[in-house]
Amino acid sequence: MKIVVIGGSGLIGSKVVQKLGAHGHQAEAASPDSGVNTVTGEGLAEVLKGASVVVDVSNSPSWEDAAVLKFFETSTRNLLTYEATAAVGHHVALSVVGTDRLSESGYFRAKIAQEKLIKESPIPYSIVHATQFFEFLKGLADISFDGGKVHLPPVQFQPMAADDVASAVSTIAVGPPVNGIVEIAGPDQFRVDELVRRRLASLSDPREVIADPHARYSGAELVERTLLPGKDARLGETRFEDWLKSPASQPPKAKSSSAAAATATKGG
């Protein structure tokens, strides 16, 4: 089966390509680096020829409200249009647990708009709502650093390893469209400030983490269960303690603060 992975060079996308390929599928990574641009439409017709499934794990290069909305609306419209022409039978998109509860945030308003376009399209679909990734806990600290301290809301969340995200997305991609939302999450719940504090300690990062009930997440104020999945969420296997001992916990090369901000919420 030919499966095109939009955002296939990113953290999740590259893992999805690898996992699908290991199971005998023809997985093609599509991104501006490979000559495919979903905003302009460049390369889409060519890469989608013969594709049965499209997996979209791309992310906006800018987190500014207008720019991120334009990215997700334009990119998704183009994808769905070209998929219809290519007779693609399943559109899979990666989004975020709690998206519908985060409309105060410009980023999540853009994700809501993306999901609306997918739901209104005639193409069968599956939307995967994932919780935050262990890999982006430091990035979350970076964008929450203010006044010499890291301010984070002491609310619950259920983060997961990026490898488990990719496994779930890959499984859903080769299955039948659900024409709805599938939630995926890690095996354990934590408080945001607590887990970021533990992550910084593992990196010998001396920054102090403050539990601040009014600290904003992607521009939105949270309540206790905003970031938690429902009871039917599919759970990954990797526990935080085990992830900390794995190569995946090693810090990546430094990236700009804007890029860290964009990926702290959801990466491709």
Side-chain angles (χ1 to χ4, degrees), residues 127-206:
I127 296 173
V128 184
H129 275 192
T131 55
Q132 293 65 33
F133 308 161
F134 295 149
E135 284 79 357
F136 295 146
L137 291 172
K138 182 182 179 297
L140 184 54
D142 293 342
I143 63 171
S144 305
F145 188 59
D146 180 34
K149 298 178 181 179
V150 177
H151 290 257
L152 289 165
V155 299
Q156 290 183 309
F157 73 154
Q158 200 166 328
M160 63 191 302
D163 196 63
D164 288 348
V165 176
S167 293
V169 169
S170 300
T171 298
I172 291 165
V174 300
V178 301
N179 292 316
I181 292 171
V182 178
E183 289 190 321
I184 61 175
D188 302 303
Q189 292 183 11
F190 304 90
R191 295 206 175 266
V192 173
D193 59 311
E194 168 207 345
L195 200 62
V196 171
R197 192 177 293 114
R198 288 172 61 182
R199 177 56 173 153
L200 293 185
S202 77
L203 297 169
S204 299
D205 187 323

Side-chain angles (χ1 to χ4, degrees), residues 9-179:
S9 62
L11 174 65
I12 302 300
S14 60
K15 291 177 181 293
V16 170
V17 169
Q18 186 275 325
K19 289 176 184 295
L20 290 172
H23 284 86
H25 298 287
Q26 180 188 346
E28 290 197 23
S31 70
D33 290 342
S34 66
V36 178
N37 189 317
T38 56
V39 174
T40 65
E42 177 188 1
L44 275 179
E46 293 76 14
V47 79
L48 293 182
K49 284 179 182 176
S52 299
V53 182
V54 169
V55 176
D56 183 10
V57 294
S58 62
N59 204 357
S60 172
S62 170
W63 230 27
E64 188 273 325
D65 285 4
V68 73
L69 179 62
K70 182 178 180 181
F71 172 84
F72 280 118
E73 287 191 328
T74 305
S75 175
T76 303
R77 281 196 185 102
N78 282 339
L79 271 175
L80 295 170
T81 297
Y82 281 91
E83 286 172 26
T85 300
V88 171
H90 190 185
H91 179 96
V92 180
L94 181 61
S95 193
V96 189
V97 164
T99 289
D100 57 337
R101 301 187 288 271
L102 289 161
S103 60
E104 187 181 2
S105 159
Y107 182 90
F108 286 101
R109 286 196 297 274
K111 295 298 287 183
I112 290 169
Q114 176 192 29
E115 293 184 21
K116 184 172 185 287
L117 288 169
I118 294 168
K119 292 171 183 175
E120 291 175 348
S121 166
I123 297 172
Y125 70 92
S126 301
I127 296 173
V128 184
H129 275 192
T131 55
Q132 293 65 33
F133 308 161
F134 295 149
E135 284 79 357
F136 295 146
L137 291 172
K138 182 182 179 297
L140 184 54
D142 293 342
I143 63 171
S144 305
F145 188 59
D146 180 34
K149 298 178 181 179
V150 177
H151 290 257
L152 289 165
V155 299
Q156 290 183 309
F157 73 154
Q158 200 166 328
M160 63 191 302
D163 196 63
D164 288 348
V165 176
S167 293
V169 169
S170 300
T171 298
I172 291 165
V174 300
V178 301
N179 292 316

